[in-house]
Amino acid sequence: MSAGEMPPLPIADPYGINVDGEILRMEEEDLRKSLQAAETKFWEQPACKKVPAAWRSTIGSPSKIVAQEARAADVVIAGRDLQRLKDEPYQTVDPGDLLMRLGRPLLVVPPGTDYLEAQHVVIGWKDTREARRAVWDALPLLVRADHVKVAEIVEREHIDAAVAQGDAIVLYLERHGVKADAEVRTQRERSVADELLLVAEQTGSDLLVVGGYGHTRLREWVLGGVTGDLLKHSPKCCFFSH
């Protein structure tokens, strides 16, 4: 488990001179106490008594610190709390920012989720590098699933090509011992993300596997439409690779 918190930007007067270093020192001490409390809560979790676990924490940008610690991780799990991210941006991981930094798959867990079965899984397929990466990264989960649905949402004129691609992915998964089938749909819901969520609902799936699309523009993380929509609104767990 890795955690990071960052003090707010220094307080300055209109001339750009820091007002009170003591305030910053007090805030940093509060952050250290907060991290200590989080560590205590972490070790109280029953799972920590069943599997090998470690805790690392420091003061700094949460997303940057978690990304650095991911060097020895197979997958990173992050909760989604958009209200807390808005209220406490210096103490909360931004899943979109984290996804673009990691170089590892990211499992984003929506609020109120206590358990992930992943017995039924939907792959949101698109013939891109990110989607191929996501399927490969998710294989340890997919081989344990009872069934996997490879779903692609396309315009009507692209259905034939999408069907051929879906069949190829199913064959690939079957070679790895994954029970899967493919479905191609045209978009009927408001967005592609909503269409994928409908597929997940209809198949009883609690996990979506998708490519994470985006790029950096100056210091802003710009995410693709499906990625951004799922990060913000998905009621189901989402496994992203970028």
Side-chain angles (χ1 to χ4, degrees):
M1 177 68 180
S2 300
E5 294 189 353
M6 181 178 177
L9 296 176
I11 302 170
D13 67 14
Y15 300 98
I17 301 174
N18 288 348
V19 173
D20 194 343
E22 182 62 26
I23 293 177
L24 294 180
R25 285 190 289 273
M26 292 172 61
E27 288 177 342
E28 184 170 321
E29 181 60 29
D30 287 343
L31 291 180
R32 294 191 185 281
K33 291 179 180 178
S34 175
L35 288 171
Q36 290 173 357
E39 181 179 5
T40 299
K41 187 175 181 179
F42 171 75
W43 288 116
E44 290 174 350
Q45 300 304 308
C48 291
K49 300 177 175 63
K50 299 178 181 179
V51 298
W55 171 272
R56 299 185 184 91
S57 63
T58 189
I59 303 266
S61 165
S63 296
K64 183 178 180 180
I65 290 169
V66 173
Q68 289 173 342
E69 294 297 337
R71 65 177 70 88
D74 293 321
V75 62
V76 173
I77 303 172
R80 186 189 75 213
D81 190 336
L82 298 182
Q83 187 59 51
R84 184 182 176 194
L85 180 61
K86 179 180 178 181
D87 296 339
E88 301 176 352
Y90 299 107
Q91 285 83 50
T92 308
V93 167
D94 181 339
D97 186 356
L98 188 58
L99 172 64
M100 299 298 291
R101 292 176 181 270
L102 275 179
R104 291 289 189 272
L106 174 66
L107 178 64
V108 178
V109 180
T113 301
D114 297 321
Y115 188 73
L116 174 63
E117 291 185 344
Q119 293 303 302
H120 297 273
V121 181
V122 170
I123 295 173
W125 177 253
K126 186 178 181 181
D127 196 21
T128 61
R129 178 188 68 83
E130 290 85 355
R132 298 181 197 117
R133 184 78 254 175
V135 171
W136 172 257
D137 288 340
L139 270 179
L141 290 171
L142 301 180
V143 297
R144 291 174 170 82
D146 289 338
H147 189 265
V148 174
K149 173 75 74 175
V150 180
E152 184 170 8
I153 315 302
V154 299
E155 296 178 356
R156 189 169 300 278
E157 59 267 29
H158 300 308
I159 288 178
D160 290 343
V163 168
Q165 291 176 17
D167 290 343
I169 297 303
V170 168
L171 180 59
Y172 167 79
L173 292 171
E174 289 176 344
R175 287 171 178 163
H176 287 274
V178 178
K179 297 178 285 293
D181 67 6
E183 180 179 353
V184 176
R185 293 189 180 190
T186 56
Q187 183 178 329
R188 292 165 292 181
E189 297 297 313
R190 181 178 59 180
S191 68
V192 172
D194 287 337
E195 195 72 49
L196 290 174
L197 288 170
L198 177 61
V199 175
E201 192 66 30
Q202 292 173 339
T203 56
S205 301
D206 60 353
L207 178 64
L208 280 166
V209 173
V210 291
Y213 308 98
H215 61 277
T216 56
R217 183 175 64 201
L218 298 178
R219 291 191 173 184
E220 179 184 5
W221 299 106
V222 183
L223 298 172
V226 176
T227 305
D229 288 345
L230 291 175
L231 280 171
K232 293 175 183 176
H233 307 301
S234 175
K236 300 180 182 294
C237 293
C238 292
F239 183 103
F240 294 99
S241 288
H242 173 68

